[in-house]
Amino acid sequence: SQTIHQWPATLVQPVGSPLSLECTVEGTSNPNLYWYRQAAGRGLQLLFYSVGIGQISSEVPQNLSASRPQDRQFILSSKKLLLSDSGFYLCAWIAGYTDTQYFGPGTRLTVL
Amino acid sequence: GDSVTQMEGPVTLSEEAFLTINCTYTATGYPSLFWYVQYPGEGLQLLLKATKADDKGSNKGFEATYRKETTSFHLEKGSVQVSDSAVYFCALRYGGSQGNLIFGKGTKLSVKP
């Protein structure tokens, strides 16, 4: 069966510090991968998606970036965090032969 | 562009009450429609889905019918429980299985004993 992991589960970082969030998927190959952000009291915002290794599409211009160094690994990064980067970050995947997107448990990021 | 509109929350109900969460969509074609649920502190889980007009998705006592004529996918449950307290997201996917999900803003449901 397929599983998706995210870490860390929670993170508190000072403004201006770097960020690296990791997402890995098991039990499938060549999935589409997604990063979403959910700010407090708001809906889901798609940040990045990837259809293959090294292929990243950005939905919202900001100080975040994403990378996909391996087929089932998706990384969200920032060189300098802003207060507005606080939120709940969700990774998701979908297999090409289905229409259902599966979400990871999320990372709660607080920037102080 | 394609979009999803959900009723504003929060919605507060007593246990065993009837639930309706309205969802309408705008799409240029024939998307698949989804309801996701997010329990406190967790990621999203697929609750139910429908892939074509007049399909009814159902799971855990929840139902939603894909209504092409009214472009709606309202979520219903006949008798809610405290454990149903969560945020519910309506979503559509257009452009085949590789397309991106478009979410509504979510509706927070609180069920009181």
Side-chain angles (χ1 to χ4, degrees):
Chain A
S1 64
Q2 300 91 357
T3 55
I4 179 169
H5 304 281
Q6 282 187 249
W7 65 89
T10 60
L11 191 59
V12 180
Q13 292 285 95
V15 169
S17 63
L19 173 74
S20 181
L21 303 181
E22 189 163 345
C23 170
T24 59
V25 181
E26 296 177 357
T28 187
S29 60
N30 197 32
N32 282 11
L33 296 172
Y34 303 81
W35 277 112
Y36 292 86
R37 177 170 60 201
Q38 188 176 27
R42 301 179 64 180
L44 287 160
Q45 179 184 37
L46 178 63
L47 302 175
F48 301 95
Y49 68 95
S50 171
V51 299
I53 296 174
Q55 300 179 59
I56 307 294
S57 297
S58 173
E59 291 292 302
V60 182
Q62 57 211 320
N63 69 321
L64 298 172
S65 62
S67 62
R68 185 169 177 176
Q70 300 180 44
D71 181 43
R72 290 168 288 176
Q73 184 185 30
F74 204 24
I75 297 173
L76 183 70
S77 304
S78 174
K79 292 182 179 179
K80 288 186 177 182
L81 284 168
L82 306 173
L83 286 173
S84 57
D85 291 325
S86 293
F88 193 48
Y89 288 81
L90 290 160
C91 182
W93 72 277
I94 183 172
Y97 52 85
T98 72
D99 62 359
T100 300
Q101 197 165 89
Y102 297 93
F103 286 80
T107 295
R108 173 120 2 240
L109 171 66
T110 303
V111 182
L112 302 174
Chain B
D2 300 332
S3 64
V4 174
T5 302
Q6 285 182 239
M7 62 185 290
E8 295 275 340
V11 174
T12 303
L13 296 174
S14 297
E15 207 164 23
E16 299 184 1
F18 184 85
L19 169 71
T20 299
I21 300 178
N22 290 337
C23 170
T24 57
Y25 67 90
T26 301
T28 53
Y30 304 100
S32 293
L33 301 175
F34 304 81
W35 277 102
Y36 281 83
V37 58
Q38 183 180 31
Y39 298 103
E42 299 182 10
L44 275 70
Q45 303 174 26
L46 178 68
L47 180 59
L48 54 84
K49 68 179 183 181
T51 58
K52 61 183 187 296
D54 299 325
D55 270 2
K56 177 185 285 187
S58 61
N59 186 26
K60 299 182 181 180
F62 290 89
E63 293 183 340
T65 301
Y66 190 139
R67 302 286 189 198
K68 180 184 168 187
E69 64 276 12
T70 55
T71 62
S72 65
F73 194 53
H74 304 323
L75 182 68
E76 297 182 336
K77 186 173 185 181
S79 176
V80 293
Q81 305 300 312
V82 172
S83 57
D84 293 326
S85 299
V87 180
Y88 293 82
F89 291 91
C90 185
L92 68 83
R93 171 176 289 114
Y94 182 63
S97 62
Q98 299 298 314
N100 295 334
L101 273 172
I102 297 172
F103 285 94
K105 293 187 176 181
T107 302
K108 184 175 182 179
L109 170 67
S110 295
V111 180
K112 307 298 183 185

